[in-house]
Amino acid sequence: METSSSSPVKPRRKDKDEDGRAEQEDSADQVDEPQKKLLRLGDILETKEVLLNEAYQQPELTKWIQTAWTEEKSQGTKEKQTGAQVFSDPFQICLLPGMLEKGQSQALVAEIIQKVQWSRKQMDLYEFYQSTDLSNMPDCRLLTNFLQVLRKQVRPWLEKVTNLKLDYVSASCSMYTCGDYLLVHDDLLKDRQVAFIYYLSPWEGAEEWTEAQGGCLEIFGSDDQCFPQFPVQRKIAPKDNQFAFFKVGSRSFHQVGEVTTFDYPRLTINGWFHGDTNEAFVADSLRAFPRLNYLQPDGLNRPPLGLFLNNVYLKGATRRSIQKRIEENSEICLYEFFKREKFELARSQLLADSDTLKWRRQGPANAHNYEVLDLTTARGTILELLQLFRSHAMFDLLRDFTDLDLAGTDAESPTCSVELQRWSHGNYTVLGDGLTSEENTLDLVYYLNAAEGAAVITYLAPDAEMPTAKAPADGRRSDYDDEEEDDSVLLTITPVDNALNIVYRCEGTTKFTKYVSRNTPLEKGPVFVISCSYKE
């Protein structure tokens, strides 16, 4: 159906997210700005080779760390000479301040500025810059030397400390500028045994970051099923010339908190020491995310649709045009879906009713981080809208919109799930088994108090490849080619107040909701989303 600009039924492009490409191009340009700040390093000591701090080569210190590593209740007591610390809860992690001799981190940063080429990495789980593997940098003398130190000195030392057989090391450089992050993951892939991060922050006054600057290594505890739980249990702020390492396992959940400072980037050299197949890897492959709870239509008598819906959507001609649009494109956005007064009442109630409405955080942390309403606490217009999405009248309407067997004589046992979500800074969902459609599903997404950049949903094609041979620095998944990412994107839904998005997704289609950066303006308060899924 051809529609005029005044019609609330407006076609929307379903092609690649060109805005996302523009963001990538803009972000790539921004790499120059932090590099200008990197140049202000002062006098750089001439460094011919990378040298380990002699203190860490003493047998007594090695024995101290080895003992602390094997203790089940190490609480981070500092070793007197170096300040080294070992924590055992929620998983084993060790911090080695001053790992290299004085001035060497500054020399490494100077070489990184001059010679390292950065690639922008953007996906559901992360946004940051990454270099190639250090083994592919023959022109970077100090970085190549650092890799040799990891191979020939640190690897055998770690074998003594951890009692693990370590065969080889992989490493690369990472740079996080303001707004960059890496969400919750466990680093667990087939042969990874020990993960490490070496921090580079040699600028005067910024040798050790504060939590307010972001970029912390944030450690999570986990439940009996090895799912990470909120809140964050420990934060480790970037500190120049500090080396951190931890045992990779089914509970080694961590993230890099969003960098919030514009003054300096978070620079690290990071990677893994590899060995035999990690015993936790097999068990982890059997772990599945919790799934949505689908219910039958609500059989109670509800107010008629005409009391809520914009009258244009009740007309037969409009319903037929919507059905044609969905048949052709598998999606549509219906603007001004509910009567404006109903929308305003619902939004006002959500923003004002802080005592009656009860919210809980939706986890686990490696899959979701947003708040969901306890539906039993809903009242007034909010309750009426939520009931409407489960009503027989809505199933009838969606049958007319989509021609799916959601009502009528051909309908066997249609079901739906309904959530009212609250989105604020730091919230997200990531790709995972729990968000992959096992059968054809109709999604409804309705925004209240919408804000640009908050609760943006991306749908990916069923055949989108998710390679796992090599994960990004500090991350779990493999590197992604930017063009491959674009090719997999089917649709991006951006928030618009009082607009109902209808998306028909076939089996295997997955989705994620982009991380809400702290740079996202939310002056009007959080964004609310009524998210529904229907099955025939």
Side-chain angles (χ1 to χ4, degrees):
M1 178 188 72
E2 294 183 0
T3 58
S4 66
S5 59
S6 60
S7 170
V9 184
K10 298 182 182 178
R12 183 180 46 171
R13 61 182 172 84
K14 194 173 75 75
D15 54 1
K16 302 171 187 176
D17 185 11
E18 295 178 1
D19 292 337
R21 286 189 198 160
E23 288 176 2
Q24 291 184 20
E25 292 169 1
D26 291 343
S27 298
D29 293 339
Q30 290 171 8
V31 105
D32 292 334
E33 184 59 28
Q35 284 187 339
K36 291 177 183 177
K37 296 177 180 179
L38 288 174
L39 291 173
R40 299 198 293 270
L41 288 170
D43 297 329
I44 301 173
L45 299 176
E46 183 178 355
T47 303
K48 295 182 179 180
E49 61 178 333
V50 174
L51 298 173
L52 279 178
N53 185 335
E54 289 186 2
Y56 288 114
Q57 303 178 58
Q58 302 304 313
E60 297 81 5
L61 182 61
T62 301
K63 181 64 175 177
W64 185 91
I65 295 175
Q66 184 182 44
T67 301
W69 183 264
T70 56
E71 290 180 357
E72 294 184 0
K73 296 184 178 180
S74 294
Q75 297 300 322
T77 302
K78 289 187 178 182
E79 193 273 333
K80 293 181 180 179
Q81 181 182 1
T82 63
Q85 293 177 280
V86 177
F87 300 91
S88 60
D89 186 36
F91 54 86
Q92 293 164 299
I93 185 167
C94 179
L95 307 179
L96 305 179
M99 179 195 181
L100 300 184
E101 292 292 347
K102 184 178 179 181
Q104 301 212 331
S105 66
Q106 194 176 39
L108 281 166
V109 169
E111 183 172 88
I112 289 171
I113 294 168
Q114 297 167 6
K115 297 184 178 181
V116 168
Q117 299 295 314
W118 298 103
S119 176
R120 182 67 173 166
K121 300 299 176 183
Q122 290 180 301
M123 198 54 188
D124 62 311
L125 195 67
Y126 48 75
E127 286 196 19
F128 64 97
Y129 295 92
Q130 183 185 30
S131 75
T132 187
D133 193 276
L134 299 193
S135 61
N136 299 323
M137 294 186 183
D139 296 332
C140 297
R141 179 176 56 84
L142 291 179
L143 288 172
T144 300
N145 187 205
F146 183 85
L147 179 61
Q148 291 304 312
V149 169
L150 293 176
R151 288 172 172 171
K152 296 179 179 180
Q153 294 180 265
V154 178
R155 183 185 62 81
W157 181 85
L158 278 176
E159 287 185 322
K160 293 179 182 178
V161 169
T162 64
N163 198 32
L164 294 169
K165 179 68 171 66
L166 304 175
D167 298 327
Y168 70 98
V169 60
S170 60
S172 59
C173 301
S174 296
M175 178 169 66
Y176 292 69
T177 56
C178 188
D180 287 350
Y181 59 89
L182 173 61
L183 300 179
V184 184
H185 60 286
D186 58 14
D187 271 6
L188 187 57
L189 280 182
K190 188 173 181 180
D191 63 352
R192 291 179 186 168
Q193 295 290 343
V194 175
F196 73 88
I197 309 101
Y198 175 65
Y199 294 95
L200 295 159
S201 187
W203 306 282
E204 184 176 354
E207 293 86 354
E208 185 168 4
W209 289 28
T210 65
E211 288 189 15
Q213 292 173 296
C216 292
L217 176 64
E218 300 182 350
I219 307 301
F220 287 79
S222 53
D223 63 14
D224 293 341
Q225 296 179 293
C226 294
F227 284 116
Q229 301 297 301
F230 297 105
V232 171
Q233 190 163 331
R234 178 172 291 110
K235 293 185 179 183
I236 300 169
K239 182 178 181 179
D240 184 47
N241 199 19
Q242 177 162 273
F243 187 84
F245 66 90
F246 59 86
K247 175 72 176 73
V248 175
S250 59
R251 297 183 183 273
S252 56
F253 288 103
H254 59 286
Q255 68 179 11
V256 177
E258 180 182 350
V259 172
T260 55
T261 178
F262 285 96
D263 295 331
Y264 304 97
R266 178 189 188 269
L267 274 180
T268 63
I269 301 172
N270 38 259
W272 301 272
F273 291 89
H274 304 256
D276 295 333
T277 299
N278 194 314
E279 294 178 356
F281 178 71
V282 177
D284 184 73
S285 65
L286 302 175
R287 183 174 54 186
F289 288 122
R291 304 215 173 248
L292 294 173
N293 183 28
Y294 282 84
L295 302 172
Q296 299 289 332
D298 188 341
L300 300 177
N301 291 324
R302 301 299 179 194
L305 293 178
L307 292 179
F308 294 89
L309 266 63
N310 184 332
N311 291 333
V312 70
Y313 295 118
L314 299 175
K315 297 179 180 179
T318 304
R319 296 190 188 195
R320 289 190 294 273
S321 67
I322 292 172
Q323 183 186 114
K324 181 179 179 182
R325 163 76 181 184
I326 293 176
E327 182 179 352
E328 294 174 349
N329 299 288
S330 299
E331 63 89 24
I332 194 169
C333 181
L334 306 180
Y335 295 87
E336 294 298 322
F337 185 71
F338 289 119
K339 294 181 184 295
R340 174 52 64 162
E341 60 271 21
K342 292 292 186 182
F343 162 76
E344 294 292 355
L345 281 171
R347 180 172 64 174
S348 298
Q349 183 183 346
L350 286 170
L351 291 172
D353 196 346
S354 58
D355 295 329
T356 304
L357 300 178
K358 303 301 180 185
W359 303 85
R360 60 175 174 82
R361 193 187 296 266
Q362 183 79 322
N366 60 333
H368 316 282
N369 179 17
Y370 59 87
E371 292 178 291
V372 63
L373 179 68
D374 179 349
L375 299 184
T376 63
T377 66
R379 300 289 185 272
T381 305
I382 293 298
L383 177 60
E384 292 176 334
L385 288 182
L386 293 171
Q387 290 175 337
L388 189 67
F389 280 103
R390 275 197 61 205
S391 68
H392 281 291
M394 180 60 75
F395 276 73
D396 289 338
L397 183 69
L398 294 176
R399 176 197 56 194
D400 292 345
F401 281 174
T402 64
D403 202 30
L404 297 176
D405 293 330
L406 293 173
T409 56
D410 293 331
E412 295 182 0
S413 56
T415 57
C416 72
S417 69
V418 178
E419 276 190 345
L420 176 52
Q421 305 169 353
R422 184 165 69 178
W423 288 81
S424 301
H425 292 142
N427 290 161
Y428 59 84
T429 68
V430 301
L431 296 173
D433 292 340
L435 296 175
T436 301
S437 180
E438 293 182 332
E439 54 187 293
N440 297 340
T441 305
L442 187 71
D443 288 350
L444 268 58
V445 180
Y446 177 75
Y447 291 98
L448 300 102
N449 205 45
E452 184 178 358
V456 176
I457 302 172
T458 298
Y459 285 83
L460 299 181
D463 56 353
E465 294 184 1
M466 303 293 289
T468 55
K470 177 184 175 185
D474 282 348
R476 174 168 179 175
R477 298 216 193 92
S478 61
D479 291 341
Y480 286 83
D481 178 80
D482 290 338
E483 291 184 359
E484 290 180 359
E485 288 180 22
D486 284 344
D487 289 341
S488 68
V489 174
L490 294 174
L491 174 70
T492 297
I493 297 177
T494 55
V496 176
D497 266 336
N498 200 21
L500 182 71
N501 299 272
I502 302 177
V503 181
Y504 180 72
R505 54 178 175 139
C506 61
E507 179 182 354
T509 303
T510 190
K511 63 178 179 177
F512 68 91
T513 305
K514 184 176 174 60
Y515 174 85
V516 183
S517 168
R518 283 159 178 78
N519 297 325
T520 302
L522 293 177
E523 292 88 354
K524 298 187 300 180
V527 174
F528 300 93
V529 181
I530 298 179
S531 177
C532 311
S533 293
Y534 296 80
K535 295 181 179 181
E536 293 180 284

